[in-house]
Amino acid sequence: MSGIVIDSTHPLAGQSVTDTILCLPSGRGSCTASQVLLELILNGIAPRAIVLRDVDGLAAVGALIAQEVFLEASMDILHIGKEGYHAILCSSNSHGVISSNGELALSRDVESLTRTVFKPHTIVKKAIDASNLSFTNEEQKMLEDCDSEAAQMALRVLFHYAHMTSPPNTVPTYLKVTKAHIDGCTYIGPGGLAFCQRLVKAKGHVSVPTTLNSMSADRQRWQVLGVPTKYAHNAIALGDAYLQLGCLHSFTCAPYILNNPPTLGEHLVWGESNAVVYANSVLGARTEKYADYLDICCAIAGMVPAAGVHLEENRRPRIVLDATPLVESLDLALVDLDMFFPLLGHLCGSLSDGNVPILLGLEPLSSSISLDHLKSFCAAFGTTASSPLIHISKVTPEAQDEGIVKAWIQACGDKTETISTRQLRKTFEKLDGDRDGDGKVNLIALGNPHLSVSECRDLVNLIELPHISNNHKVKHPEVRVIACMARSLQLIAEEAGYVGKLRDFGVEFINDTCWCMLLDEPVIPIDPSSKILTNSGKYAHYGPGLTSRKFRFGSTSDCVQAAFTGVYPNKVFSDVSPSSWLMSRPQIMQRRTFKTSIHSIQRIVLLLR
């Protein structure tokens, strides 16, 4: 843990946040920000304060846990609104100070700060301030009725978070949840392990069925994979602690493809950004993007604040993303949808600017869109968006009715972004970031999010296509192909015969963990100049910063062809045919496609079991 920003796509990449006043529009992407902030605080390398444009509790949870559980001094986290944030961006000030009453003053140098009369921008509220917090009579009664110290600790965190994020002069209310998914089981430092072990020691137990996200090591093969002993033991101890709290032995970042997925309107407490977006958007369930640590507190309490996209009014779109011109420019019979959807998701997240979007223009593709396409789309969207929800006209369950979609569009007014082929190409160039050289590939990374059974089937089909394999039976000897997959689903894929064929080809499988936690050699190539090819928009985004390796991005068929040849040729861009690079190489693969109403989604998930 260094305090240096490693996300290569972030404007602050390479800069240290230690002892700064960190100014951000809002949180985005991963739910793990709270883990990072807690470790920064406990190691004494955190920012002095965080200033946010939007009210975003996710960015504050790490400081809340440091205060409530570890009794560390509070960090100032201010919400200053759009006008205040814009004023900061437009100013030339490089120094700041926050007063004891939460007022922010800016200056060009340290000396003038001491002479500044505080004239703050509008501050919505000071987020972390236990001295001014009082619980309601109902909340106090729930605390008194707790049957364990852990339950009381969880409720205090939940109540504090609810007060912190609720509008001024309002009293929080709460909703019962039916399922939970815990993102905080990844080990990034001793603080997270100590937190969970305190819950276990205090007799904590979840009150609803609770799945666990990918952890930081394969629980059975960590030694073979070269995971350092101390790190593996800590990672497994953290997973064990969550199992002791009553969580299920799932360890997957794609809980929506397990048995008993959420249904339309069901209230959840889910972490893991891709899962949250999928649950809200594709299944029509309701969950905020719950930060690590807050997720397990809500699972123990069995409830969440009645806020965010749990409420109908907050699920309505606030921006229109119109892909109609883009889709009309494509030859739909030839478009490689495995490439198209992660690119589109990544771009939509960037364009949504914190708003819930309604995406138009995919209606001609609706009969060709698979659940795997939506999985890759949601993962990429969750990487760049702060919104936990996107509606897609005629595709997602809440956007099936034309009248409702028209009303949403009218309510958005002139807040519309038209998506062009040029923008999609720019997104591709960003994700396919290292296109120099001979195109040689060293590692092909599949399964971020975790592979589904149907994706295993599709990989087998691609490998067996004569024009792709060129009659070869196994992969190129200088290329590793590694896939991450939930252990329970891998057993199903083995029974179907897919895993055996993939292993014969040369695919290696890793369980329990995922690519965002596989950071080191020997899984990651030792040579710093090595190139990693992935079909995941999410991993292409995060991978360069996480691994310090060069990344390429392509479709699933691109990955399979590169596995045979050891080379991934650059896409050719043409002004004459601006979308030709999106076309798949000729293939006769028969894809199973689905109409994605909520009823068919539920039926298909059951069939895959």
Side-chain angles (χ1 to χ4, degrees), residues 51-325:
V51 175
L52 297 167
R53 180 192 66 186
D54 303 332
V55 177
D56 188 344
L58 190 149
V61 168
L64 174 56
I65 295 296
Q67 175 183 285
E68 285 282 359
V69 180
F70 293 93
L71 305 180
E72 291 284 335
S74 165
M75 170 188 287
D76 288 306
I77 299 183
L78 307 183
H79 302 141
I80 62 173
K82 291 185 178 180
E83 290 185 7
Y85 191 78
H86 180 71
I88 290 178
L89 292 182
C90 293
S91 76
S92 58
N93 296 309
S94 60
H95 291 75
V97 65
I98 296 173
S99 70
S100 58
N101 65 348
E103 295 180 332
L104 172 66
L106 304 175
S107 178
R108 294 185 179 182
D109 53 66
V110 175
E111 288 75 18
S112 59
L113 281 173
T114 60
R115 304 190 299 273
T116 299
V117 176
F118 284 106
K119 295 180 179 179
H121 306 299
T122 302
I123 297 175
V124 175
K125 65 201 309 181
K126 188 176 182 182
I128 304 292
D129 190 353
S131 61
N132 293 330
L133 180 67
S134 60
F135 295 133
T136 66
N137 291 336
E138 181 185 1
E139 291 167 341
Q140 196 62 48
K141 178 68 164 58
M142 285 190 277
L143 284 167
E144 292 170 359
D145 291 343
C146 286
D147 59 2
S148 70
E149 180 188 346
Q152 193 170 67
M153 187 189 307
L155 280 180
R156 282 190 58 84
V157 170
L158 169 58
F159 294 159
H160 199 149
Y161 174 85
H163 284 268
M164 180 175 72
T165 55
S166 61
N169 304 316
T170 63
V171 176
T173 57
Y174 302 92
L175 292 167
K176 293 289 186 182
V177 295
T178 56
K179 294 183 180 72
H181 181 70
I182 305 304
D183 186 65
C185 58
T186 53
Y187 179 82
I188 68 168
L193 176 57
F195 166 70
C196 192
Q197 288 178 335
R198 288 190 187 195
L199 290 177
V200 172
K201 187 176 180 180
K203 302 188 185 306
H205 199 279
V206 296
S207 58
V208 295
T210 301
T211 49
L212 291 172
N213 202 46
S214 304
M215 52 176 286
S216 299
D218 188 310
R219 291 171 66 85
Q220 296 182 11
R221 300 179 62 246
W222 61 269
Q223 290 173 304
V224 175
L225 297 172
V227 180
T229 300
K230 183 178 180 181
Y231 181 84
H233 286 174
N234 285 334
I236 291 170
L238 180 59
D240 289 344
Y242 276 104
L243 292 173
Q244 287 178 272
L245 293 174
C247 300
L248 301 172
H249 197 294
S250 55
F251 296 115
T252 180
C253 54
Y256 42 84
I257 58 177
L258 299 176
N259 280 319
N260 193 27
T263 57
L264 184 66
E266 191 173 356
H267 290 284
L268 318 171
V269 50
W270 273 24
E272 168 54 44
S273 58
N274 95 83
V276 168
V277 176
Y278 192 100
N280 277 311
S281 307
V282 180
L283 302 180
R286 302 188 172 204
T287 176
E288 283 287 272
K289 190 188 293 183
Y290 286 100
D292 294 3
Y293 308 138
L294 179 64
D295 51 11
I296 189 63
C297 291
C298 293
I300 290 171
M303 61 185 185
V304 294
V309 293
H310 287 282
L311 305 180
E312 188 66 34
E313 60 267 27
N314 295 329
R315 298 182 70 83
R316 296 170 190 149
R318 297 291 184 266
I319 186 170
V320 175
L321 304 180
D322 190 359
T324 303

